[in-house]
């Protein structure tokens, strides 16, 4: 399977034409047309991730987050230059599927909604339609099979995401039935979630004033947890659709945040 064929497959699941106007999806660093045997998938194009992928023998690397939003040259020493040097020296292709994947709510981006068995799942913020007439958009919203208390719902989310620490802000609902979520930094969709009847909204990177001004309960599970699992699942989808003989491996990242829990010391979430 050639380099261009792998790029075309990624574009099938996450067409870069649907990416946000400010984003940089698709090929980040071009490699030559070659026979692809090993595809590495990860959340972030960080030096230790890239080196692990290259040590494994990857000849194609796909990450969720772009190497850079704005194309630029490495004007100073640092991780950006390190990654460019590694990829160029290995003569491989580095691609990113960022907001182009985020808007495909019928795909892996909505994995937590399906894990929670939300019914009537639909896009929270519709931005386009694909060629099949399906809505594309950020986040998702749906209904639980049965009503839960907020405490029981937070416990369920913690188990599904593996988060040891979940920040809860906003007024607590009497019950949780309708659930909205958006991976990554989705606090801009807080108002839209509650306008559509959500009892809770799950996202990451919620800022102080957004939490303070929210009209409903917001669960901040962090940027990492939802998107790390999303990319792991995307690696499975790619492996199922690549030609026989092409190996896919997911390279786990790490949450950059650690939390101090009284009596337990520093814990990774």
């Amino acid at each position: 399977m050639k380099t261009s064929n792998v790029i075309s497959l990624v574009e099938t699941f996450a067409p870069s034409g649907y990416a946000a106007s400010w984003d940089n999806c698709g090929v980040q660093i071009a490699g030559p047309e070659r026979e692809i045997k090993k595809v590495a998938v990860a959340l972030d194009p960080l030096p230790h991730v890239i080196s692990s992928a290259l040590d494994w023998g990857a000849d194609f690397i796909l990450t969720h987050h772009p190497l850079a939003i704005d194309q630029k040259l490495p004007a100073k020493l640092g991780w950006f230059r390190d990654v460019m040097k590694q990829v160029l020296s290995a003569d491989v292709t580095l691609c990113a599927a960022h907001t182009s994947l985020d808007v495909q709510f019928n795909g892996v981006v909505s994995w937590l909604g399906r894990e929670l068995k939300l019914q009537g799942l639909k896009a929270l913020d519709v931005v386009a339609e694909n060629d099949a007439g399906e809505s594309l958009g950020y986040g998702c919203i749906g209904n639980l099979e049965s009503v839960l208390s907020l405490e029981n719902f937070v416990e369920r989310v913690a188990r599904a995401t593996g988060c040891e620490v979940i920040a809860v802000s906003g007024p607590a609902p009497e019950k949780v039935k309708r659930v909205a979520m958006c991976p990554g930094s989705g606090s801009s969709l807080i108002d839209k979630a509650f306008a559509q009847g959500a009892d809770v909204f799950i996202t990451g990177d919620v800022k102080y004033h957004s939490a303070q001004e929210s009209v409903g309960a917001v669960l901040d599970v962090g940027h990492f947890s939802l998107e790390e699992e999303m990319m792991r699942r995307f690696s499975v989808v790619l492996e199922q659709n690549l030609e026989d003989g092409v190996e896919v491996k997911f390279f786990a990242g790490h949450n950059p945040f650690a939390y101090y829990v009284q009596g337990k010391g520093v814990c990774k979430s």
Side-chain angles (χ1 to χ4, degrees):
M1 199 168 189
K2 299 294 186 181
T3 303
S4 58
N5 301 132
V6 179
I7 294 172
S8 294
L9 181 63
V10 173
E11 286 286 317
T12 298
F13 290 104
S16 55
Y18 292 122
S21 59
W22 52 263
D23 200 9
N24 177 26
C25 292
V27 175
Q28 305 291 293
I29 299 177
E33 184 76 350
R34 61 194 293 183
E35 195 69 27
I36 301 298
K37 294 296 184 182
K38 290 187 174 184
V39 176
V41 179
L43 176 60
D44 296 301
L46 294 175
H48 71 277
V49 173
I50 300 300
S51 62
S52 295
L54 294 176
D55 287 345
W56 173 64
D59 31 39
F60 190 101
I61 302 173
L62 173 70
T63 61
H64 181 50
H65 294 133
L67 181 59
I69 296 298
D70 299 315
Q71 295 184 3
K72 59 182 181 179
L73 293 173
K76 59 182 180 180
L77 299 179
W79 73 267
F80 179 77
R81 178 183 179 277
D82 290 346
V83 169
M84 287 195 71
K85 181 179 178 180
Q86 288 186 71
V87 174
L88 289 169
S89 296
D91 219 15
V92 303
T93 298
L94 174 64
C95 277
H98 191 211
T99 54
S100 58
L101 183 62
D102 289 340
V103 297
Q104 309 295 327
F105 101 95
N106 280 319
V108 292
V109 68
S110 300
W111 73 267
L112 181 58
R114 295 181 177 85
E115 199 74 21
L116 296 174
K117 299 180 180 179
L118 296 185
Q119 300 173 334
L121 202 63
K122 65 177 185 177
L124 177 61
D125 182 27
V126 177
V127 296
E129 278 191 356
N130 61 19
D131 293 339
E134 299 170 326
S135 295
L136 302 179
Y138 299 103
C140 63
I141 186 167
N143 298 318
L144 292 168
E145 293 176 317
S146 57
V147 172
L148 293 175
S149 68
L150 179 61
E151 183 176 354
N152 287 341
F153 178 73
V154 174
E155 283 288 341
R156 182 176 290 189
V157 172
R159 288 194 300 270
T161 59
C163 290
E164 293 183 0
V165 178
I166 294 177
V168 182
S169 58
E174 295 181 3
K175 60 173 179 60
V176 176
K177 177 68 174 179
R178 190 157 176 79
V179 178
M181 65 192 68
C182 183
S185 304
S187 58
S188 63
L189 296 181
I190 288 176
D191 290 343
K192 190 175 288 287
F194 294 115
Q196 294 184 38
D199 298 308
V200 295
F201 178 60
I202 306 167
T203 190
D205 298 348
V206 178
K207 294 184 178 180
Y208 177 82
H209 290 295
S210 297
Q212 193 177 53
E213 296 166 5
S214 177
V215 298
V218 178
L219 276 59
D220 187 339
V221 298
H223 198 119
F224 178 81
S225 64
L226 297 184
E227 294 193 330
E228 173 84 348
E229 177 62 13
M230 175 185 73
M231 291 307 289
R232 187 193 69 77
R233 294 184 182 220
F234 194 32
S235 71
V236 174
V237 172
L238 290 175
E239 187 165 38
Q240 292 170 342
N241 287 273
L242 287 165
E243 292 179 359
D244 292 341
V246 181
E247 190 175 354
V248 179
K249 184 175 180 179
F250 176 71
F251 286 82
H254 70 274
N255 191 340
F257 294 99
Y259 303 92
Y260 179 83
V261 180
Q262 188 173 10
K264 295 183 179 180
V266 176
C267 301
K268 275 289 185 179
S269 178

